[in-house]
Amino acid sequence: MTTIFSGIKPTGHLTLGNYLGAIARWVDIDQHQSDAFFSVVDLHALTVEHDPARVRRLSRQTATLMLAAGLDPALCTLFVQSHVDEHTRLSYLLECVATDGELRRMIQYKEKSARARESGDSVRFSLLSYPVLMAADILAYRTDEVPVGEDQTQHVELARDLAVRFNQRYGQTFTVPRATRPQVAARVMDLQDPTGKMGKSHRDTAGIVYLLDDLDTVRKKIMRAVTDSGRDVVYDRDARPGVANLLDILAACRGGDPAALAASYDSYGALKRDTVEAVVEVLRPLQERHAALAADPAQVDKVLRDGAERARSVARSVVDAAYAAIGLLPAA
């Protein structure tokens, strides 16, 4: 069976983009067809200035929402990254294989370090090295496929390069993974700036639909979504990014092809109203399940504890093999 790994960083409240671009596929496809590992990658949240209490709170909320969305512990392994020591054990070995040059070429490092310097903040070394930890997340489970958005493809390529390099130098140890992307709504855009991603860490939240927004707020945000010049409804991501974004969201919620859906509408207002109802149909049951799970935190804790135990049992043999291959003396 194919093994997949993917994770979500608890740096903000989960958005409709997180759900339609990743979690829905995990629920509907990946957990049924693969040996699937899904993680709240909390260590990655420490690469920038953060509030420790907020990271803990968002880590729990993220795990609870993943369960509420339909991830089933009987079908997949759900755990918190920092609960499995093998991730950090392996990360150092991979740092000994990675090069300074390839890490400094990572697009996210360039962008985030530039923003930090512009605001007068120091740049943490972990911001440079975290793609190696991400590679360890992936390689520890002999992962075959990594379902990611376009902005993370470069990091999966690094994991591939490190796996190949390690195998060539020290013997066959790791599976070389590949990135996979869903065809529809792989990247849901900001409703107020449809040229930019609907990110969970953005300061301006007017164009972001959060999974736990009350439904009246959801309706208002979608009805106020930026559209484009012209009156006809056409699916064209370059020329009509606002309309294309609404069509992508509608297609992802209800199924169908966004270009074909465009032919069903003769006004932006009708498209927005149908998109509102489709999103509400998705969010209402999810929010109800989240409320029930949040009222029983012991149940969520057990899922995460059992998930970490299973993840640890799988990753330990891989990481122990890497330690032996690279030349480290086994513990007595």
Side-chain angles (χ1 to χ4, degrees), residues 155-171:
H155 291 160
V156 181
E157 288 301 315
L158 175 67
R160 288 174 56 85
D161 291 343
L162 296 181
V164 169
R165 194 176 305 154
F166 192 101
N167 290 346
Q168 289 174 341
R169 290 180 182 177
Y170 306 114

Side-chain angles (χ1 to χ4, degrees), residues 205-216:
T205 63
I208 301 172
V209 174
Y210 295 102
L211 296 185
L212 294 179
D213 273 345
D214 70 80
L215 298 182
D216 284 340

Side-chain angles (χ1 to χ4, degrees), residues 12-299:
H13 299 287
L14 294 189
T15 71
L16 183 66
N18 296 127
Y19 178 79
L20 296 180
I23 299 173
R25 170 179 164 144
W26 300 351
V27 169
D28 295 338
I29 299 173
D30 292 332
Q31 68 174 344
H32 299 283
Q33 299 182 357
S34 310
D35 187 10
F37 293 83
F38 300 116
S39 182
V40 179
V41 286
D42 54 343
L43 295 173
H44 292 302
L46 311 184
T47 60
V48 294
E49 192 66 32
H50 64 278
D51 173 12
R54 186 170 187 266
V55 170
R56 282 191 294 270
R57 184 171 64 253
L58 288 176
S59 295
R60 175 177 290 280
Q61 183 186 91
T62 298
T64 305
L65 280 168
M66 291 163 78
L67 289 169
L71 287 183
D72 184 346
L75 298 174
C76 67
T77 302
L78 174 62
F79 66 101
V80 175
Q81 178 194 33
S82 64
H83 295 176
V84 181
D85 293 344
E86 279 66 27
H87 290 247
T88 50
R89 286 181 62 208
L90 180 56
S91 183
Y92 181 73
L93 296 196
L94 296 179
E95 285 183 7
C96 296
V97 177
T99 67
D100 176 78
E102 63 190 343
L103 294 181
R104 292 187 186 278
R105 287 194 293 271
M106 295 288 110
I107 294 172
Q108 289 204 15
Y109 171 73
K110 290 181 179 180
E111 293 177 348
K112 291 181 179 180
S113 61
R115 286 199 296 268
R117 294 187 184 98
E118 287 172 2
S119 61
D121 296 331
S122 58
V123 179
R124 300 185 182 195
F125 177 75
S126 57
L127 187 61
L128 177 66
S129 65
Y130 96 87
V132 180
L133 176 57
M134 182 174 172
D137 299 338
I138 296 166
L139 299 181
Y141 301 95
R142 293 205 169 100
T143 300
D144 299 297
E145 296 181 359
V146 187
V148 292
E150 184 179 352
D151 57 334
Q152 292 293 331
T153 301
Q154 188 184 35
H155 291 160
V156 181
E157 288 301 315
L158 175 67
R160 288 174 56 85
D161 291 343
L162 296 181
V164 169
R165 194 176 305 154
F166 192 101
N167 290 346
Q168 289 174 341
R169 290 180 182 177
Y170 306 114
Q172 190 66 33
T173 306
F174 299 118
T175 298
V176 180
R178 60 185 177 274
T180 60
R181 284 183 290 182
Q183 293 181 347
V184 177
R187 201 174 191 198
V188 176
M189 314 307 277
D190 191 298
L191 294 172
Q192 291 299 313
D193 177 15
T195 62
K197 180 181 175 183
M198 186 182 284
K200 61 181 180 291
S201 303
H202 291 182
R203 292 181 180 178
D204 186 353
T205 63
I208 301 172
V209 174
Y210 295 102
L211 296 185
L212 294 179
D213 273 345
D214 70 80
L215 298 182
D216 284 340
T217 298
V218 171
R219 292 186 179 93
K220 290 175 184 177
K221 286 181 176 181
I222 296 175
M223 292 303 296
R224 293 170 182 168
V226 169
T227 50
D228 311 292
S229 59
R231 300 176 63 183
D232 52 327
V233 179
V234 178
Y235 184 74
D236 186 330
R237 270 198 167 274
D238 294 324
R240 304 283 184 87
V243 172
N245 190 36
L246 291 171
L247 288 165
D248 274 337
I249 293 170
L250 180 60
C253 289
R254 288 189 173 169
D257 177 73
L261 285 172
S264 305
Y265 294 95
D266 56 12
S267 73
Y268 294 159
L271 172 61
K272 286 183 176 181
R273 286 191 292 273
D274 278 3
T275 304
V276 164
E277 293 312 310
V279 171
V280 168
E281 287 171 8
V282 167
L283 293 188
R284 180 179 285 115
L286 186 152
Q287 291 183 2
E288 290 172 354
R289 291 192 294 268
H290 174 269
L293 287 165
D296 186 10
Q299 180 182 353

